[in-house]
PDB file of all heavy atoms in Angstrom:
ATOM      1  N   ASP A  47      -1.665  19.748  13.678  1.00 94.00           N
ATOM      2  CA  ASP A  47      -2.319  20.980  13.255  1.00 94.00           C
ATOM      3  C   ASP A  47      -1.392  21.685  12.281  1.00 94.00           C
ATOM      4  O   ASP A  47      -0.177  21.550  12.359  1.00 94.00           O
ATOM      5  CB  ASP A  47      -2.592  21.881  14.500  1.00 94.00           C
ATOM      6  CG  ASP A  47      -3.762  21.388  15.309  1.00 94.00           C
ATOM      7  OD1 ASP A  47      -4.565  20.565  14.745  1.00 94.00           O
ATOM      8  OD2 ASP A  47      -3.894  21.784  16.460  1.00 94.00           O
ATOM      9  N   ILE A  62      -0.619  17.311  20.283  1.00 97.00           N
ATOM     10  CA  ILE A  62      -1.803  17.088  19.428  1.00 97.00           C
ATOM     11  C   ILE A  62      -3.075  17.576  20.107  1.00 97.00           C
ATOM     12  O   ILE A  62      -4.170  17.237  19.675  1.00 97.00           O
ATOM     13  CB  ILE A  62      -1.928  15.585  19.036  1.00 97.00           C
ATOM     14  CG1 ILE A  62      -2.001  14.666  20.263  1.00 97.00           C
ATOM     15  CG2 ILE A  62      -0.822  15.174  18.101  1.00 97.00           C
ATOM     16  CD1 ILE A  62      -2.291  13.217  19.965  1.00 97.00           C
ATOM     17  N   LYS A 119     -12.523  11.477  23.249  1.00 98.00           N
ATOM     18  CA  LYS A 119     -13.401  11.449  22.063  1.00 98.00           C
ATOM     19  C   LYS A 119     -12.978  12.398  20.928  1.00 98.00           C
ATOM     20  O   LYS A 119     -12.895  11.963  19.775  1.00 98.00           O
ATOM     21  CB  LYS A 119     -14.862  11.734  22.508  1.00 98.00           C
ATOM     22  CG  LYS A 119     -15.872  11.697  21.423  1.00 98.00           C
ATOM     23  CD  LYS A 119     -16.142  10.283  20.926  1.00 98.00           C
ATOM     24  CE  LYS A 119     -17.289  10.287  19.922  1.00 98.00           C
ATOM     25  NZ  LYS A 119     -17.143   9.227  18.916  1.00 98.00           N
ATOM     26  N   PRO A 120     -12.657  13.659  21.202  1.00 98.00           N
ATOM     27  CA  PRO A 120     -12.285  14.558  20.093  1.00 98.00           C
ATOM     28  C   PRO A 120     -11.016  14.092  19.336  1.00 98.00           C
ATOM     29  O   PRO A 120     -10.917  14.252  18.128  1.00 98.00           O
ATOM     30  CB  PRO A 120     -12.028  15.911  20.757  1.00 98.00           C
ATOM     31  CG  PRO A 120     -12.689  15.845  22.096  1.00 98.00           C
ATOM     32  CD  PRO A 120     -12.738  14.395  22.483  1.00 98.00           C
ATOM     33  N   LEU A 121     -10.086  13.475  20.067  1.00 98.00           N
ATOM     34  CA  LEU A 121      -8.907  12.941  19.401  1.00 98.00           C
ATOM     35  C   LEU A 121      -9.290  11.787  18.498  1.00 98.00           C
ATOM     36  O   LEU A 121      -8.816  11.642  17.355  1.00 98.00           O
ATOM     37  CB  LEU A 121      -7.841  12.482  20.408  1.00 98.00           C
ATOM     38  CG  LEU A 121      -7.076  13.556  21.165  1.00 98.00           C
ATOM     39  CD1 LEU A 121      -6.101  12.957  22.164  1.00 98.00           C
ATOM     40  CD2 LEU A 121      -6.328  14.481  20.184  1.00 98.00           C
ATOM     41  N   GLN A 122     -10.163  10.922  19.010  1.00 97.00           N
ATOM     42  CA  GLN A 122     -10.603   9.773  18.222  1.00 97.00           C
ATOM     43  C   GLN A 122     -11.329  10.257  16.947  1.00 97.00           C
ATOM     44  O   GLN A 122     -11.101   9.683  15.847  1.00 97.00           O
ATOM     45  CB  GLN A 122     -11.505   8.890  19.044  1.00 97.00           C
ATOM     46  CG  GLN A 122     -11.661   7.489  18.521  1.00 97.00           C
ATOM     47  CD  GLN A 122     -13.098   7.063  18.393  1.00 97.00           C
ATOM     48  OE1 GLN A 122     -14.009   7.664  19.008  1.00 97.00           O
ATOM     49  NE2 GLN A 122     -13.266   6.004  17.665  1.00 97.00           N
ATOM     50  N   ASP A 123     -12.182  11.259  17.073  1.00 97.00           N
ATOM     51  CA  ASP A 123     -12.903  11.777  15.918  1.00 97.00           C
ATOM     52  C   ASP A 123     -11.960  12.300  14.836  1.00 97.00           C
ATOM     53  O   ASP A 123     -12.151  12.052  13.656  1.00 97.00           O
ATOM     54  CB  ASP A 123     -13.854  12.939  16.350  1.00 97.00           C
ATOM     55  CG  ASP A 123     -15.043  12.424  17.130  1.00 97.00           C
ATOM     56  OD1 ASP A 123     -15.341  11.223  17.053  1.00 97.00           O
ATOM     57  OD2 ASP A 123     -15.687  13.235  17.829  1.00 97.00           O
ATOM     58  N   LYS A 124     -10.924  13.050  15.273  1.00 97.00           N
ATOM     59  CA  LYS A 124      -9.973  13.601  14.326  1.00 97.00           C
ATOM     60  C   LYS A 124      -9.194  12.481  13.631  1.00 97.00           C
ATOM     61  O   LYS A 124      -8.973  12.489  12.420  1.00 97.00           O
ATOM     62  CB  LYS A 124      -8.959  14.493  15.050  1.00 97.00           C
ATOM     63  CG  LYS A 124      -9.130  15.963  14.736  1.00 97.00           C
ATOM     64  CD  LYS A 124      -7.873  16.712  15.221  1.00 97.00           C
ATOM     65  CE  LYS A 124      -8.169  18.132  15.469  1.00 97.00           C
ATOM     66  NZ  LYS A 124      -7.039  18.841  16.106  1.00 97.00           N
ATOM     67  N   ALA A 125      -8.752  11.496  14.418  1.00 97.00           N
ATOM     68  CA  ALA A 125      -8.037  10.371  13.854  1.00 97.00           C
ATOM     69  C   ALA A 125      -8.868   9.627  12.808  1.00 97.00           C
ATOM     70  O   ALA A 125      -8.393   9.251  11.751  1.00 97.00           O
ATOM     71  CB  ALA A 125      -7.596   9.421  14.972  1.00 97.00           C
ATOM     72  N   LYS A 126     -10.137   9.462  13.139  1.00 97.00           N
ATOM     73  CA  LYS A 126     -11.046   8.740  12.220  1.00 97.00           C
ATOM     74  C   LYS A 126     -11.132   9.478  10.866  1.00 97.00           C
ATOM     75  O   LYS A 126     -11.091   8.848   9.806  1.00 97.00           O
ATOM     76  CB  LYS A 126     -12.450   8.673  12.877  1.00 97.00           C
ATOM     77  CG  LYS A 126     -13.413   7.772  12.124  1.00 97.00           C
ATOM     78  CD  LYS A 126     -14.799   7.766  12.784  1.00 97.00           C
ATOM     79  CE  LYS A 126     -14.897   6.711  13.876  1.00 97.00           C
ATOM     80  NZ  LYS A 126     -16.214   6.728  14.564  1.00 97.00           N
ATOM     81  N   GLU A 127     -11.232  10.809  10.979  1.00 96.00           N
ATOM     82  CA  GLU A 127     -11.277  11.632   9.795  1.00 96.00           C
ATOM     83  C   GLU A 127     -10.030  11.463   8.923  1.00 96.00           C
ATOM     84  O   GLU A 127     -10.062  11.299   7.691  1.00 96.00           O
ATOM     85  CB  GLU A 127     -11.438  13.105  10.221  1.00 96.00           C
ATOM     86  CG  GLU A 127     -11.690  14.107   9.149  1.00 96.00           C
ATOM     87  CD  GLU A 127     -12.890  13.728   8.301  1.00 96.00           C
ATOM     88  OE1 GLU A 127     -13.927  13.324   8.852  1.00 96.00           O
ATOM     89  OE2 GLU A 127     -12.810  13.869   7.041  1.00 96.00           O
ATOM     90  N   ARG A 128      -8.845  11.473   9.563  1.00 96.00           N
ATOM     91  CA  ARG A 128      -7.596  11.352   8.821  1.00 96.00           C
ATOM     92  C   ARG A 128      -7.471   9.987   8.172  1.00 96.00           C
ATOM     93  O   ARG A 128      -7.056   9.846   7.028  1.00 96.00           O
ATOM     94  CB  ARG A 128      -6.424  11.496   9.808  1.00 96.00           C
ATOM     95  CG  ARG A 128      -6.274  12.912  10.289  1.00 96.00           C
ATOM     96  CD  ARG A 128      -5.073  13.014  11.219  1.00 96.00           C
ATOM     97  NE  ARG A 128      -4.943  14.379  11.689  1.00 96.00           N
ATOM     98  CZ  ARG A 128      -4.923  14.712  12.966  1.00 96.00           C
ATOM     99  NH1 ARG A 128      -4.997  13.811  13.932  1.00 96.00           N
ATOM    100  NH2 ARG A 128      -4.794  15.971  13.338  1.00 96.00           N
ATOM    101  N   LEU A 129      -7.883   8.963   8.890  1.00 96.00           N
ATOM    102  CA  LEU A 129      -7.780   7.592   8.325  1.00 96.00           C
ATOM    103  C   LEU A 129      -8.689   7.462   7.106  1.00 96.00           C
ATOM    104  O   LEU A 129      -8.391   6.780   6.153  1.00 96.00           O
ATOM    105  CB  LEU A 129      -8.123   6.544   9.400  1.00 96.00           C
ATOM    106  CG  LEU A 129      -7.179   6.524  10.593  1.00 96.00           C
ATOM    107  CD1 LEU A 129      -7.621   5.474  11.617  1.00 96.00           C
ATOM    108  CD2 LEU A 129      -5.752   6.145  10.131  1.00 96.00           C
TER     109      LEU A 129
END
Side-chain angles (χ1 to χ4, degrees):
D47 284 344
I62 55 173
K119 182 71 174 148
L121 287 179
Q122 199 230 344
D123 288 342
K124 249 194 205 173
K126 190 181 272 177
E127 187 55 43
R128 290 180 181 125
L129 297 177

